[in-house]
C-alpha cells in the first residue's frame, strides 16, 4: 500500500514542525537558565544556526535521495534529530559557557536534520498522482 510511507512522512513532518515550535518558543528562557549572562544576539545566532543547517543539508539530502533512496535519508534524519534533541535537553549538564555552545551546535544539527523536508516533499510528489495531492 503506497499510503503508509506517505502517512509516515506526514507524521514525521508534523513532529518536526511541533518540535521546532516548542524549541523556538522556549529557547530564550532555556538559554537564560543555562547562562544568565546570555543576550538576545546569541539567541539570534542559535535561530540562524538552524537555518544554516537546513541550507547545507537540503542539497546533500537531495543528492543522497537521487543516487540512493528516500528511506535512508528519512532514517538518518530521524535518528539525527532524536539524538540532537536529547543533547539539547541535557545541555544543562555542561558548564554555563559550554552549554551555550552546545545549544548553538544543536541548533545547527537540528536544522541539518530538518533539511530532509525537501526530500520528504519530493517523495510525496513522486508517490502520488496530481489528483491525489
Amino acid at each position: 500500500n503506497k499510503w503508509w510511507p506517505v502517512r509516515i512522512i506526514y507524521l514525521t513532518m508534523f513532529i518536526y514542525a511541533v518540535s521546532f515550535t516548542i524549541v523556538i518558543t522556549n529557547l530564550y528562557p532555556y538559554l537564560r537558565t543555562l547562562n544568565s549572562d546570555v543576550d538576545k544576539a546569541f539567541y539570534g545566532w542559535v535561530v540562524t544556526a538552524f537555518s544554516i543547517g537546513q541550507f547545507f543539508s537540503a542539497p546533500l539530502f537531495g543528492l543522497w535521495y537521487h543516487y540512493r533512496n528516500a528511506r535512508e535519508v528519512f532514517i538518518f534524519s530521524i535518528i539525527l534529530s532524536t539524538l540532537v534533541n536529547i543533547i539539547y535537553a541535557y545541555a544543562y549538564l555542561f558548564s554555563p559557557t559550554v552549554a551555550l555552545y552546545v545549544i548553538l551546535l544543536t541548533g545547527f544539527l537540528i536544522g541539518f536534520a530538518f533539511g530532509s523536508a525537501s526530500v520528504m516533499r519530493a517523495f510525496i510528489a513522486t508517490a502520488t498522482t496530481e489528483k491525489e495531492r
Side-chain angles (χ1 to χ4, degrees):
N1 186 347
K2 76 176 183 179
W3 290 107
W4 276 109
V6 171
R7 289 182 182 126
I8 290 170
I9 290 171
Y10 281 142
L11 178 64
T12 303
M13 290 179 75
F14 176 75
I15 290 169
Y16 279 177
V18 169
S19 169
F20 179 75
T21 303
I22 290 170
V23 168
I24 288 299
T25 305
N26 297 309
L27 181 58
Y28 189 65
Y30 187 49
L31 287 172
R32 298 283 295 168
T33 53
L34 295 175
N35 187 332
S36 60
D37 296 331
V38 72
D39 59 354
K40 290 184 181 176
F42 189 82
Y43 168 73
W45 280 108
V46 174
V47 173
T48 302
F50 177 88
S51 298
I52 292 171
Q54 269 191 314
F55 174 78
F56 285 114
S57 69
L60 294 174
F61 284 143
L63 283 171
W64 190 356
Y65 172 54
H66 180 73
Y67 288 108
R68 301 283 297 177
N69 62 53
R71 178 178 287 172
E72 292 175 8
V73 174
F74 301 153
I75 291 171
F76 175 79
S77 69
I78 290 169
I79 290 171
L80 179 63
S81 66
T82 302
L83 292 175
V84 173
N85 277 319
I86 292 169
I87 294 169
Y88 173 86
Y90 287 103
Y92 69 89
L93 297 174
F94 296 94
S95 70
T97 305
V98 174
L100 294 180
Y101 292 102
V102 168
I103 295 297
L104 183 64
L105 178 64
T106 59
F108 175 81
L109 291 174
I110 283 292
F112 195 90
F114 285 17
S116 65
S118 57
V119 172
M120 292 180 192
R121 290 182 192 103
F123 179 83
I124 289 172
T126 59
T128 59
T129 65
E130 191 171 328
K131 186 176 181 178
E132 292 170 331
R133 288 179 232 144

